[in-house]
Amino acid sequence: MTEVLQEKILRHIAGGGTITSYCRKHKYPNQDTVFNFLAKESGEKFAEAVARARERGTHAIAEHVLTITDDKTIDPVRAKLMADVRLRLIAQWNRRTYGVKQDLDPANRLTLAELVEAAMRQHMQSQPLLDITPPAPPVNALEHTQQPVPVR
């Protein structure tokens, strides 16, 4: 692969595109050619450049997510799906910036017993407790239990 072609692909990736979308749009090179070149030792510098370009491209994708969510012409359910897919993708491609932060401090970890207890507490709060109070007698039943009034 020529350096000019590599540079074009890198610019496309840095703009939020993918290798596959570049190859599909330009009809050359075939995506297999690019992926095979990445896998070869001779493509090691290109592979590193792709990783850097992909990291820059995640910022472009994040900006595109804002455009999607602000676009009132897109069905809200579809917009949410489109945004979610892109956010998940950039979280994998750029974990340092967009990935889920995990607290690895042992002081903040819960034991399995604490997790189970917290889940049970949450479940109990969301579920109504079993009501065992007897139901009130029907109105007709009250009429039969009243004492008759003595007649004089």
Side-chain angles (χ1 to χ4, degrees), residues 3 12 14 19-20 29 42-43 55-56 76 80 101 107 109 116 121-122 128 143 147:
E3 287 186 21
H12 181 76
I19 292 171
T20 304
S42 59
E55 185 173 332
R56 286 194 306 274
K80 182 176 178 357
K101 307 288 189 265
R109 291 188 184 172
V116 170
R121 255 195 324 271
Q122 183 178 7
E143 293 174 359
Q147 296 293 328

Side-chain angles (χ1 to χ4, degrees), residues 6-129:
Q6 291 177 33
E7 188 59 38
K8 288 179 180 179
I9 292 171
L10 291 173
R11 267 189 261 124
H12 181 76
I13 293 169
T18 63
I19 292 171
T20 304
S21 67
Y22 179 87
C23 295
R24 190 179 306 130
K25 180 179 180 182
H26 297 284
K27 308 273 192 261
Y28 178 83
N30 182 299
Q31 68 185 25
D32 291 338
T33 304
V34 179
F35 288 120
N36 287 337
F37 182 72
L38 282 168
K40 291 181 182 174
E41 193 171 315
S42 59
E44 191 173 300
K45 284 176 68 177
F46 182 57
E48 291 171 5
V50 166
R52 287 191 304 275
R54 183 168 282 152
E55 185 173 332
R56 286 194 306 274
T58 59
H59 303 302
I61 295 170
E63 288 182 15
H64 187 232
V65 168
L66 293 175
T67 305
I68 291 169
T69 57
D70 291 341
D71 189 345
K72 302 298 181 207
T73 63
I74 302 175
D75 173 57
V77 174
R78 180 165 169 72
K80 182 176 178 357
L81 177 64
M82 291 169 65
D84 188 52
V85 166
R86 284 160 178 78
L87 290 173
R88 288 174 187 250
L89 182 65
I90 65 174
Q92 292 299 312
W93 282 355
N94 189 346
R95 290 184 178 164
R96 185 178 55 221
T97 305
Y98 299 105
V100 175
K101 307 288 189 265
Q102 293 183 351
D103 188 0
L104 300 178
D105 182 5
N108 294 333
R109 291 188 184 172
L110 295 175
T111 66
L112 181 58
E114 291 168 329
L115 285 172
V116 170
E117 183 181 335
M120 289 174 59
R121 255 195 324 271
Q122 183 178 7
H123 179 71
M124 292 299 286
Q125 289 173 355
S126 66
Q127 297 291 326
L129 295 176

